[in-house]
Amino acid sequence: QVQLVESGGGLVQAGGSLRLSCAASGSISRLNIMGWYRQAPGKQRELVARIMSGGNTNYADSVKGRFTVSRDNGENTVYLQMNSLKPEDTAVYYCNLQVLARFYWGPGTQVTVSS
């Protein structure tokens, strides 16, 4: 049974920073992709950033240069450092673990950016 637990969301003013963390537990293949998605009210869930077990990363265009995804393979933990936050970054952020064709999700953490 794989479980993901997020932490680090909250309320921040525009221009501020937040750091999200997600710890995965259970039987997890070392070959995996960990990352973050977000869903704003009335919108579809979208990829924010992801990182492969080898270290390659992908970012949504809207967050490039502002967000950094990283991971600790030994702890099965993924992080999202979010800088220069904008009101349009407001959403529920979901941690994701992908192993082959299987996706696992955390419960989500709210990030609210005030203008």
Side-chain angles (χ1 to χ4, degrees), residues 86-109:
K86 304 175 181 179
E88 50 264 44
D89 294 318
T90 295
V92 177
Y93 283 68
Y94 296 91
C95 178
N96 170 262
L97 169 69
Q98 181 182 349
V99 180
L100 297 177
R102 297 198 68 173
F103 284 76
Y104 302 90
W105 297 95
T109 185

Side-chain angles (χ1 to χ4, degrees), residues 21-79:
S21 300
C22 172
S25 62
S27 179
I28 302 169
S29 168
R30 286 187 296 174
L31 298 178
N32 60 62
I33 303 172
M34 297 189 78
W36 297 90
Y37 288 68
R38 67 186 181 188
Q39 187 167 17
K43 294 188 177 182
Q44 289 189 331
R45 191 173 298 190
E46 62 175 1
L47 172 69
V48 177
R50 62 180 187 172
I51 181 168
M52 289 62 170
S53 49
N56 289 342
T57 57
N58 298 122
Y59 292 92
D61 287 343
S62 59
V63 306
K64 284 180 180 176
R66 300 189 297 123
F67 291 10
T68 302
V69 64
S70 60
R71 64 186 290 165
D72 182 334
N73 287 336
E75 297 293 328
N76 286 325
T77 301
V78 63
Y79 305 96

